[in-house]
Amino acid sequence: MTENNKLYDVCIIGAGYSGLVLAIKLARAGLLVCLAELNRIVGRRILSTGNGRCNFTNRRMDAKYYYSNSKVDFIDDNFQEILDFIKDLGVVERELDGYYYPITNQAKTVREALENEVNALGVDIFLDNRVTDLSKVGESFTVTTTRQEIHCKKAVVASGGLSAATLGSSKIGYKIAQKFDLKLTRLAPSLVGATSKDICLKDLAGVRALGTVDYKGNVCEGEIQFNKDGVSGYPVMCISRFIGFDELNKSVGNIVVDFCSYISEDDLKAELNNRFTKHPKATIHQSLVGLCNEKIIEVVVSYARIYGDTIVDKLDDEDIENIVYYLKHFSIALSGTKGFDASQVTAGGVDLSDINMDSLEARNCPGLYFTGEVLDVDGICGGYNLSWAYTSADRVYKHITKEV
Ligand SMILES: Cc1cc2nc3c(=O)[nH]c(=O)nc-3n(C[C@H](O)[C@H](O)[C@H](O)COP(=O)(O)OP(=O)(O)OC[C@H]3O[C@@H](n4cnc5c(N)ncnc54)[C@H](O)[C@@H]3O)c2cc1C
């Protein structure tokens, strides 16, 4: 282990998105900053974001897109500020229905732009340095890594959550929090597919269909993907944190899928009656064509206990009600989630009640800050988690620069 004799104004633990944003802001303000990172490159996780395209923010920015055990109504509409920061790094943006990506459509553009800027600003970057401990010595801190000891006036934990371990993750942020007597909330994987052994998946595997997913009153709409061992896609990802926490309590329930969310129950019933009256000699399958994916129709008809070749003038009101019911309330038993490794974000983290919300500084330890995913804040799909990584870094930056 080598001794680093510099006394940094700030040492940031973790050179992910949040740590990099913070390092840039602090170094631009003239502070002596360093980053300690376990990977051999900075911002490794950024490369995998947005399916390799990096959805870094969203025009619809509001606290309602975030979850926490504490109130997070301090998250406001700062999307223009995020956009300006990214533009200032030289990254031209591209908007798709309010979702922002780099124009190159390559996440590596964002990672490289951040890396170029920290290098240009002279930030000391210690790669391949896994942080193993943080201690406070008098008014300053010592960050211990696998290679050296780093001394700093202020320490910022930006080490992320437990998701996608292969991209670089560790429990160090939570360990540091516990060492400094800060509470942790329970952790669960979020933005992840759900697992299921439900028999219907034998027939639905491979289907992608628009619909609404309801898990115990948490409702989300979008394209649902059915696989042989589970269900995923945007709406499932968005409600997956609730499944994740239920998995901890062994209380995972069913999702109820509305395959025809574009039409009300009464209107759907009227639509079926209309179709059946117009073509009374059609089979039930012929009659339902176009309402939703044909595999879904097959499954729904079989759940309604009707043979696919039944002529529709043979159906009675109860049959029609059953078809409508299964199209609008199709229940799939879940067993859990695909776990932290398959998840995009970790729900839960360092309890905000022990953190000063304005500065993100530990209430009981001046000079110790937390930023990004390590905190108990998680967003839905759509650029909200990278936005939180930015927003939280910006809070820490504003507080530190006000103080020095
Ligand atoms: C596949 C995937 C796709 C995603 N897509 C999107 C998207 O399109 N939009 C969006 O908003 N969000 C997306 N996310 C979520 C987003 O990437 C994270 O929420 C965000 O990166 C969190 O930023 P962070 O800086 O807090 O943590 P991270 O980016 O995880 O950075 C933490 C850093 O700390 C380092 N570290 C950890 N432990 C140690 C240690 N002991 N010592 C030293 N360093 C350590 C890690 O190696 C890492 O570099 C995605 C996530 C995944 C996995």
Side-chain angles (χ1 to χ4, degrees):
M1 184 171 298
T2 59
E3 183 75 17
N4 183 330
N5 289 322
K6 283 189 190 169
L7 176 64
Y8 290 93
D9 291 319
V10 184
C11 174
I12 303 170
I13 299 170
Y17 193 82
S18 206
L20 289 165
V21 168
L22 179 60
I24 289 169
K25 286 180 175 256
L26 292 173
R28 281 178 181 166
L31 272 70
L32 185 61
V33 184
C34 73
L35 285 156
E37 166 59 47
L38 68 79
N39 280 325
R40 292 204 165 103
I41 59 164
V42 300
R44 169 98 165 76
R45 184 169 305 259
I46 299 167
L47 296 174
S48 301
T49 56
N51 283 328
R53 295 183 304 161
C54 187
N55 173 203
F56 62 83
T57 194
N58 199 299
R59 178 160 29 92
R60 294 167 284 264
M61 190 51 63
D62 193 282
K64 72 180 179 194
Y65 300 119
Y66 291 93
Y67 297 106
S68 172
N69 290 285
S70 302
K71 274 207 165 115
V72 286
D73 43 14
F74 62 84
I75 298 176
D76 55 9
D77 183 2
N78 64 343
F79 113 91
Q80 189 57 51
E81 189 191 317
I82 295 176
L83 218 53
D84 291 345
F85 177 84
I86 292 286
K87 275 186 188 167
D88 194 49
L89 296 176
V91 177
V92 178
E93 86 282 2
R94 169 176 193 250
E95 188 209 338
L96 287 175
D97 188 26
Y99 295 62
Y100 280 84
Y101 303 87
I103 191 125
T104 57
N105 239 355
Q106 291 180 299
K108 84 194 240 306
T109 306
V110 176
R111 194 205 71 79
E112 277 174 22
L114 289 161
E115 183 180 46
N116 290 344
E117 188 68 4
V118 279
N119 282 329
L121 288 162
V123 172
D124 282 347
I125 306 169
F126 303 116
L127 297 173
D128 206 6
N129 271 252
R130 174 187 281 272
V131 173
T132 54
D133 194 18
L134 174 74
S135 35
K136 193 162 190 187
V137 191
E139 288 303 295
S140 59
F141 292 87
T142 300
V143 176
T144 307
T145 82
T146 39
R147 295 180 183 275
Q148 62 181 319
E149 286 195 338
I150 304 167
H151 307 288
C152 53
K153 295 181 196 161
K154 293 177 190 295
V156 182
V157 180
S159 54
L162 296 181
S163 299
T166 50
L167 302 175
S169 72
S170 79
K171 293 187 175 155
I172 191 67
Y174 309 126
K175 284 187 182 154
I176 291 172
Q178 284 175 320
K179 177 173 175 180
F180 284 87
D181 290 329
L182 307 173
K183 289 188 293 298
L184 294 180
T185 66
R186 298 214 296 169
L187 305 175
S190 182
L191 304 192
V192 63
T195 51
S196 169
K197 294 191 172 76
D198 198 297
I199 190 85
C200 72
L201 294 177
K202 223 163 62 72
D203 298 311
L204 289 178
V207 170
R208 285 168 174 248
L210 283 178
T212 300
V213 169
D214 182 339
Y215 181 76
K216 301 187 180 181
N218 301 291
V219 182
C220 192
E221 188 167 14
E223 189 181 84
I224 311 159
Q225 294 172 25
F226 298 89
N227 314 305
K228 61 178 184 346
D229 59 351
V231 198
S232 61
Y234 175 83
V236 177
M237 307 268 279
C238 282
I239 48 109
S240 58
R241 70 186 307 285
F242 302 104
I243 306 167
F245 284 117
D246 278 355
E247 205 171 0
L248 298 175
N249 300 332
K250 301 198 183 334
S251 60
V252 176
N254 292 12
I255 46 165
V256 179
V257 181
D258 181 349
F259 289 120
C260 295
S261 47
Y262 56 88
I263 191 169
S264 73
E265 210 153 324
D266 286 347
D267 287 350
L268 180 59
K269 201 168 167 190
E271 168 70 20
L272 295 192
N273 276 315
N274 191 23
R275 287 177 179 225
F276 297 166
T277 314
K278 205 165 153 198
H279 297 294
K281 295 297 169 200
T283 65
I284 178 73
H285 274 167
Q286 287 167 335
S287 230
L288 298 183
V289 161
L291 277 180
C292 59
N293 181 290
E294 68 175 322
K295 270 197 182 175
I296 294 171
I297 289 173
E298 274 174 34
V299 172
V300 162
V301 167
S302 76
Y303 271 57
R305 306 251 183 272
I306 300 168
Y307 291 112
D309 56 0
T310 303
I311 304 300
V312 292
D313 67 359
K314 297 274 183 282
L315 299 177
D316 60 19
D317 278 353
E318 197 181 336
D319 291 325
I320 296 173
E321 263 163 31
N322 280 340
I323 295 168
V324 171
Y325 179 81
Y326 286 113
L327 280 172
K328 300 284 292 174
H329 307 275
F330 193 87
S331 182
I332 302 176
L334 302 181
S335 43
T337 71
K338 296 207 163 161
F340 280 109
D341 278 351
S343 71
Q344 292 192 4
V345 73
T346 301
V350 179
D351 195 328
L352 295 184
S353 65
D354 285 345
I355 301 285
N356 182 320
M357 298 283 200
D358 288 330
S359 57
L360 301 183
E361 187 178 33
R363 285 190 196 280
N364 63 358
C365 182
L368 172 61
Y369 298 80
F370 292 80
T371 175
E373 201 178 308
V374 70
L375 287 163
D376 172 27
V377 178
D378 56 291
I380 64 165
C381 282
Y384 294 98
N385 289 295
L386 288 174
S387 294
W388 166 245
Y390 174 93
T391 303
S392 50
D394 188 54
R395 284 203 157 224
V396 174
Y397 150 74
K398 284 188 176 128
H399 187 259
I400 290 181
T401 46
K402 218 171 8 167
E403 278 212 327
V404 291

